[in-house]
């Protein structure tokens, strides 16, 4: 199939390359035959020869006209032009509808139509106007035309082919001969308009109407996509805050109780822990919803373990950090490692003996980071692992009788949902565990295809 497509493309390319030469050949032959006919008429050549010459002249002229007006060529040119315009429009409007993008839209569309001016409005004022009426309807000027207000209210396109007298920013009476006004819609609600103004009523025809409505539909679709992306990002940030709200209260009360107990026996240590606790929560709030260097996320996780060691004892939790140098500065979403370490502490510790927790990170490729959180705790069975990796809701309700099963689904469920929402198809999460042998949680994050690649780094 691919070879057939390649041959077809080469055939079309060869035809397109040959057309200019054939046109030149046809016009040269036509001019030559025209000169011969003139000479025949002046010098009195044989009539039969003159008839043949005239016939050949007509043939060459017909060939030339066909080559110049080849429907396939014209259709290809119009298609290429339309696709180019659509591509540029999508690039312009991907940031949403504002004064800058509205002006770029008007400037791009004006040469494609017969309009003397093109304007874009939101639901209350003009965002941009380009063309002969630019000084009459500058940016941020209010909407004056009743037709525009009708389009905004009812969401249907309107056109007029008679002279309309409207108030502009430059004069009380500005005559507009003809125009087409189409709505820009998001979720079936008009949020703005795209307006085409013409010098003559005859310019408002089916072609211009189709162009106006087509461009408006294209802009509306991109605006809808932009709104969905904004909602997606807001939802993702809300999920992060929900994750913090679910996990932090448990940790908060335990840590405060530990510090309170140490105030009598080890007041200096209690004071230091309280200072670290303040820094921990300040960093948690500052990093919420942003991308941070992996080294900062690991440092925040180590600070968390500092409090857990104070609670359970220094010899009960042994921390190991193995971060490759090239992974230190890799940007990752905040609060993506600590919940996994907290799960290991809360649900992996045995009644006696130390719990070893290892955090590893490497960046084997550009824009890829591999993260592992490994513990040698009680582990879990296959059923518990399946619940953890279920992103459809069942993972958030785990059995407390299962090893490392009580509540671990809350953090893991949220992290999996964030990976699914933020990253591309190359990003995966996996869990390896056996009862009595510990658990390894692995994250492979594709930062290049991240939906939040432009997120703020604090």
């Amino acid at each position: 199939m691919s070879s057939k497509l390649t041959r077809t493309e080469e055939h079309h390319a060869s035809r397109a390359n040959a057309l200019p030469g054939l046109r030149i050949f046809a016009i040269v032959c036509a001019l030559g035959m025209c000169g011969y006919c003139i000479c025949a008429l002046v010098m009195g050549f044989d009539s039969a020869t003159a008839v043949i010459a005239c016939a050949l002249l007509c043939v060459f002229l017909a060939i030339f006209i066909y080559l110049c007006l080849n429907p396939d060529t014209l259709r290809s040119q119009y298609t290429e032009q339309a696709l180019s315009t659509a591509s540029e429009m999508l690039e312009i409007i991907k940031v949403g509808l504002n004064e800058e993008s509205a002006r770029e839209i008007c400037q791009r569309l004006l040469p494609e139509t017969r309009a003397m001016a093109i304007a874009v409005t939101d639901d209350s004022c003009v965002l941009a106007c380009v063309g002969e009426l630019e000084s009459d309807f500058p940016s941020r000027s209010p909407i004056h035309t009743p037709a525009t207000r009708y389009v905004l209210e009812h969401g249907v396109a309107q056109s007029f082919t008679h002279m309309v007298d409207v108030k502009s920013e430059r004069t009380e009476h500005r005559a507009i001969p003809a125009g087409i006004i189409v709505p820009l819609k998001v979720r079936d609600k008009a949020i703005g308009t795209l307006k085409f103004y013409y010098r003559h009523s005859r310019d408002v025809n089916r072609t211009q109407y189709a162009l106006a409505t087509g461009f408006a539909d294209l802009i509306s679709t991109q605006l809808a996509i932009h709104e969905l992306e904004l909602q997606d990002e807001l939802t993702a940030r809300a999920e992060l805050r929900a994750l913090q709200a679910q996990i932090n209260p448990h940790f908060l009360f335990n840590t405060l109780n530990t510090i309170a107990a140490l105030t009598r026996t080890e007041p200096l240590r209690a004071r230091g822990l309280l200072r670290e606790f303040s820094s921990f929560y300040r960093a948690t709030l500052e990093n919420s919803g942003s991308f941070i260097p992996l080294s900062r996320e690991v440092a925040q996780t180590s600070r968390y373990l500092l409090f857990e060691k104070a609670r359970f004892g220094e010899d009960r939790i042994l921390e190991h950090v193995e971060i490759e140098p090239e992974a230190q500065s890799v940007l990752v979403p905040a609060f993506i490692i600590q919940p996994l370490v907290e799960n290991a502490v809360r649900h992996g510790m045995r009644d006696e003996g130390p719990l070893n927790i290892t955090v590893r990170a490497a960046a084997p490729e550009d824009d890829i980071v591999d993260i592992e959180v490994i513990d040698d705790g009680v582990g879990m069975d296959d059923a518990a692992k399946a619940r953890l990796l279920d992103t459809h809701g069942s993972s958030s309700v785990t059995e407390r009788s299962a090893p490392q099963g009580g509540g671990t689904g809350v953090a893991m469920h949220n992290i999996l949902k964030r990976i699914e929402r933020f990253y591309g198809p190359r990003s995966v999460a996996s869990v390896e565990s056996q009862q009595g042998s510990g658990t390894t949680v692995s994250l492979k994050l594709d930062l290049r295809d991240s939906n939040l690649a432009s997120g703020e780094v604090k």
Side-chain angles (χ1 to χ4, degrees), residues 21-31 60-61 63-65 67:
L22 291 175
R23 291 193 187 106
I24 294 174
F25 176 77
I27 192 62
V28 168
C29 291
L31 290 174
F60 285 124
L61 287 176
I63 293 174
F64 174 75
I65 292 173
L67 292 174

Side-chain angles (χ1 to χ4, degrees), residues 20 80 153 155 219 223 296 305 327 356 372 427:
E80 183 179 353
E153 182 178 354
I219 296 171
L223 289 176
R296 189 187 302 178
L305 287 176
N356 287 276
E372 288 185 330
S427 298

